[in-house]
Amino acid sequence: MGNLAIVTIIIIAANVIISYKGFEDYGFFDKYKFNVGAIKRGEQFRLFSSGFLHVNTQHLLFNMITLYFFANNVIAYVGSLKFIIIYVISLIAGGLLSLYFHKDEYHYSAVGASGAVTGILYAAILLNPDMSLYFFFIPVPIPGYVFGIGYLLYSIYGMKKRIGNIGHDAHFGGAIGGYVTTLILVPYLFKINLTMVVVLALPIILLFVMKKLGKI
């Protein structure tokens, strides 16, 4: 992976500091978490602030490790400034999709950098679809695009079945944010790898078709 870029170190540090503040101060946690009712009352800042809070150390560690593995890959292609843009838009996009799916659930709450991190993951796959991912329980490498599509399909399933205490919609929204923002910032991807651009869009299209049909 090489040395972490300074921007990644800053983002990880911000997540750690703010999350630990939230662990120790529930009033702080409650004020800045994602909450549908509060956002509808005008506290839109929660769409952003909730992305730096986590439920516990394990939740924080999982997100930061995932960010660590994919951040440099994206920065190498687009630079630090565009990386920040992708990260922030993915974070907010994750919150917006959660708000869209839970707009009538005024008590629905969520926290975590998962949307932003999934956006970076999807951006990395879009920029380098030939990358291979390794998992300790799978003895062979998995192509990045296979993992990306599979992850979003699982997220759709998770949203439909409401599996676990996991914000599957935030993950999916973050992926959409990362996908769209990367294509806007790096439009030559349409020329050099149009097939992969289309393939990675398929689960996104599927989600909205299912939503339109009332299947999710």
Side-chain angles (χ1 to χ4, degrees):
M1 289 298 299
N3 295 325
L4 276 179
I6 185 64
V7 64
T8 310
I9 295 172
I10 291 172
I11 289 173
I12 291 175
N15 272 276
V16 171
I17 292 168
I18 295 172
S19 290
Y20 271 89
K21 170 66 174 175
F23 296 161
E24 298 173 356
D25 184 347
Y26 182 75
F28 178 86
F29 183 90
D30 192 59
K31 180 178 180 180
Y32 292 105
K33 70 182 180 181
F34 176 95
N35 175 264
V36 172
I39 292 171
K40 285 197 166 187
R41 290 194 300 269
E43 298 179 10
Q44 284 84 8
F45 64 84
R46 291 173 182 259
L47 289 167
F48 180 78
S49 63
S50 60
F52 293 89
L53 293 168
H54 290 80
V55 173
N56 51 39
T57 301
Q58 182 180 0
H59 185 206
L60 171 65
L61 189 63
F62 178 81
N63 277 333
M64 295 305 99
I65 289 175
T66 305
L67 179 63
Y68 165 80
F69 279 114
F70 291 97
N72 277 6
N73 199 302
V74 176
I75 293 170
Y77 278 91
V78 303
S80 294
L81 179 58
K82 290 180 179 179
F83 170 83
I84 293 172
I85 293 171
I86 294 169
Y87 186 92
V88 171
I89 290 179
S90 297
L91 189 162
I92 294 173
L96 288 173
L97 194 69
S98 288
L99 187 63
Y100 174 65
F101 274 92
H102 300 281
K103 58 182 179 295
D104 297 322
E105 302 171 46
Y106 278 64
H107 296 291
Y108 181 85
S109 298
V111 293
S114 301
V117 172
T118 306
I120 294 300
L121 184 156
Y122 219 65
I125 293 171
L126 185 60
L127 290 163
N128 185 16
D130 294 327
M131 69 189 301
S132 295
L133 305 177
Y134 293 84
F135 299 92
F136 68 90
F137 51 86
I138 300 177
V140 295
I142 299 175
Y145 71 91
V146 172
F147 174 80
I149 292 170
Y151 185 80
L152 291 195
L153 291 176
Y154 171 74
S155 294
I156 292 175
Y157 178 76
M159 291 163 68
K160 183 177 177 62
K161 299 294 184 180
R162 298 214 170 192
I163 297 174
N165 188 28
I166 300 172
H168 297 286
D169 34 39
H171 297 179
F172 207 107
I176 294 173
Y179 175 83
V180 173
T181 307
T182 301
L183 289 177
I184 291 172
L185 296 176
V186 193
Y188 70 78
L189 290 172
F190 286 105
K191 293 183 178 180
I192 66 172
N193 213 341
L194 180 60
T195 299
M196 194 55 60
V197 170
V198 172
V199 168
L200 290 173
L202 294 178
I204 298 173
I205 295 170
L206 176 63
L207 174 70
F208 288 101
V209 169
M210 290 181 66
K211 177 65 174 176
K212 183 70 174 178
L213 296 175
K215 301 294 185 180
I216 190 171

